[in-house]
């Protein structure tokens, strides 16, 4: 009897392992920057430091279905940078077994959060939490957090820090969804005040006509 129970337990474990969905995630980088896009989503409360870097695009017919952020936690008196990067996770036609990631330029501080996904649909608009310039002797953190709205309506909020305020929502992608990202980054300041991520804009792509 004990032997039979042991065999059943092993089979149950194997069954769970076989049924578990496996996601394959591949970094797309700049491989698909020639993908055409319809519009750019922007917000008005980004900060002033740094420069716009390079765009990265999801592959053709892939759209952003989730995201992760890189955040440096509170440094308690040392230089804070808060949010350092945003990673979009691209999927195709509701199939999340094979995914790509795009992130443009990211800062050097903090850790990446676990990904968050739309229950269905794709990312379609965003909102930034930004701390305004703190003056000559202040500690600038610029972007602290982000929210995305899914085309199926749920709102996802990153696990960022709490400095600053949320601004207005961007426009909505409409038909299609977010398919690319470009960040505005302040490069490493070599011991001076770092603010890292200052702004972001996202590309909207249309769905292929069937």
């Amino acid at each position: 009897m004990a032997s039979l129970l042991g065999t059943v337990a092993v089979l149950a474990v194997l069954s769970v392992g076989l049924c578990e969905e496996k996601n394959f995630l591949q970094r797309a980088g700049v491989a698909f920057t020639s993908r055409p896009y319809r519009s750019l989503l922007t917000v008005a409360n980004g900060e002033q430091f740094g420069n716009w870097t390079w765009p990265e695009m999801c592959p053709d017919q892939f759209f952003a279905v989730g995201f992760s952020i890189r955040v440096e936690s509170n440094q308690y008196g040392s230089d804070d940078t808060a949010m350092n990067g945003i990673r979009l996770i691209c999927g195709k036609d509701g199939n999340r077994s094979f995914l790509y990631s795009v992130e443009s330029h990211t800062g050097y501080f903090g850790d990446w959060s676990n990904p968050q996904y739309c229950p269905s649909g794709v990312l379609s608009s965003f909102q930034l939490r930004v701390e305004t310039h703190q003056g000559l002797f202040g500690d600038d953190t610029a972007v602290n957090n982000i929210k995305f709205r899914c085309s199926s309506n749920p709102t996802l909020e990153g696990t960022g820090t709490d400095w600053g305020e949320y601004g207005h929502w961007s426009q909505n992608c409409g038909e299609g969804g977010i398919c690319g990202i470009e960040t505005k980054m302040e490069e490493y300041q070599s011991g001076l005040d770092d603010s890292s991520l200052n702004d972001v804009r996202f590309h909207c792509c249309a769905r292929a006509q069937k």
Side-chain angles (χ1 to χ4, degrees), residues 12 27 29 35 64-66 82 101 107 111 116 120 138 150 159 166 168 170 172 174 177-178 188 193 196 201 206:
R27 176 93 166 85
R35 178 179 180 178
V65 295
S101 69
D111 300 307
Q116 297 186 59
S120 61
C150 302
T159 54
Y166 275 105
H168 295 295
S170 71
N172 195 290
I178 291 175
Y188 179 58
D193 182 30
S196 207
R201 52 196 181 201

Side-chain angles (χ1 to χ4, degrees), residues 1-16:
M1 183 66 178
S3 176
L4 177 60
L5 290 174
T7 302
V8 169
V10 170
L11 289 174
V13 170
L14 288 174
S15 176
V16 169

Side-chain angles (χ1 to χ4, degrees), residues 76-153:
Y76 297 102
S78 296
D79 184 25
D80 288 293
T81 61
M83 199 158 130
N84 274 246
I86 303 166
R87 176 180 291 155
L88 298 180
I89 301 174
C90 312
K92 182 179 181 182
D93 296 331
N95 181 0
R96 300 189 182 175
S97 60
F98 190 92
L99 304 167
Y100 284 90
S101 69
V102 292
E103 58 195 51
S104 186
H105 187 21
T106 65
Y108 307 106
F109 307 102
D111 300 307
W112 288 100
S113 67
N114 290 325
Q116 297 186 59
Y117 295 94
C118 292
S120 61
V122 299
L123 303 181
S124 59
S125 61
F126 78 104
Q127 186 183 33
L128 281 186
R129 183 171 194 149
V130 179
E131 182 184 47
T132 57
H133 178 38
Q134 297 298 290
L136 184 60
F137 300 107
D139 183 3
D140 291 301
T141 61
V143 177
N144 273 247
N145 208 352
I146 191 167
K147 292 180 182 179
F148 286 99
R149 185 168 287 134
C150 302
S151 59
S152 54
N153 206 39

Side-chain angles (χ1 to χ4, degrees), residues 39-43 124-126 170-173 178 200-204:
S39 61
L40 280 174
L41 295 183
T42 62
V43 291
S124 59
S125 61
F126 78 104
S170 71
Q171 295 290 317
N172 195 290
C173 274
I178 291 175
V200 63
R201 52 196 181 201
F202 296 100
H203 302 72
C204 288

